[in-house]
Amino acid sequence: MFSKSKLNQPGGDADKSATHSQTPASAPPSKPAGLELGAGQAAMKPKVAPSTLSSDLIIKGDIKTSGDITIEGEVEGNIHAHLLTVGEGSTVRGEVIADDIVVNGRVIGRVRGLKVRLTSTARVEGDIIHKTIAIESGAHFEGAVQRQDDPLSTGPRNHTGQPPKPEAPKHQG
């Protein structure tokens, strides 16, 4: 359907390329990539640069972003992100929730992610709830590991991975 034009190539024949063109001369100019019909809103938004909290920062409070974040300092609070990287010299005290989590430093609290990776320098003290996990040799981990198809959901789960069934009201009398 589409062919590379030979107009700008040495020895190309401009007359033959023009007569074999697939689009008529009256056709409107093509839309920029990502704006064609059905591309969705995600293609229309510019990609946001990853955020980095430097090693001299101490944050007390929760952090929430739909983008990527790298923690190099200390955080006392929960973190919710798309991609979370905990730097080698950093400490996070709180729950971390992200689609993709890479721990190089220390996390004291629960880790919830679709993909969780503990590198050889990681120290995690808390439970890990994941869809896929990788733990490198040398990583330090104290807690329980649980696989779930949807680890990002915040509802309580029983040992089968299903939400608990509601209990019947208790009759007092």
Side-chain angles (χ1 to χ4, degrees):
M1 182 170 169
F2 296 101
S3 63
K4 188 173 180 181
S5 173
K6 294 182 181 181
L7 290 173
N8 295 329
Q9 294 180 352
D13 190 350
D15 292 324
K16 287 183 182 177
S17 294
T19 58
H20 294 300
S21 176
Q22 295 290 329
T23 57
S26 62
S30 64
K31 295 179 184 175
L35 295 181
E36 60 273 354
L37 193 61
Q41 282 187 322
M44 295 171 67
K45 290 182 184 177
K47 176 104 172 110
V48 178
S51 300
T52 301
L53 297 180
S54 66
S55 59
D56 63 336
L57 283 175
I58 298 173
I59 305 290
K60 293 186 180 187
D62 295 346
I63 298 173
K64 185 171 185 175
T65 179
S66 58
D68 302 349
I69 188 167
T70 299
I71 307 294
E72 295 295 339
E74 292 185 30
V75 175
E76 290 185 29
N78 302 326
I79 302 173
H80 195 290
H82 175 265
L83 167 64
L84 171 66
T85 303
V86 178
E88 193 169 331
S90 63
T91 300
V92 176
R93 289 177 178 86
E95 183 176 38
V96 295
I97 302 171
D99 293 336
D100 199 350
I101 300 171
V102 178
V103 180
N104 299 305
R106 187 173 186 189
V107 176
I108 302 169
R110 184 172 19 191
V111 176
R112 299 171 72 87
L114 295 174
K115 288 176 23 181
V116 177
R117 189 174 114 203
L118 306 184
T119 66
S120 61
T121 58
R123 292 184 53 87
V124 175
E125 300 170 32
D127 296 345
I128 298 175
I129 302 169
H130 65 89
K131 187 168 184 177
T132 62
I133 190 166
I135 302 176
E136 292 181 5
S137 178
H140 177 85
F141 170 64
E142 291 181 35
V145 178
Q146 181 181 6
R147 187 198 177 285
Q148 287 185 3
D149 286 331
D150 186 13
L152 304 181
S153 66
T154 56
R157 304 279 174 176
N158 60 23
H159 65 282
T160 63
Q162 300 297 320
K165 296 179 181 175
E167 293 182 21
K170 295 180 181 176
H171 179 69
Q172 294 182 355

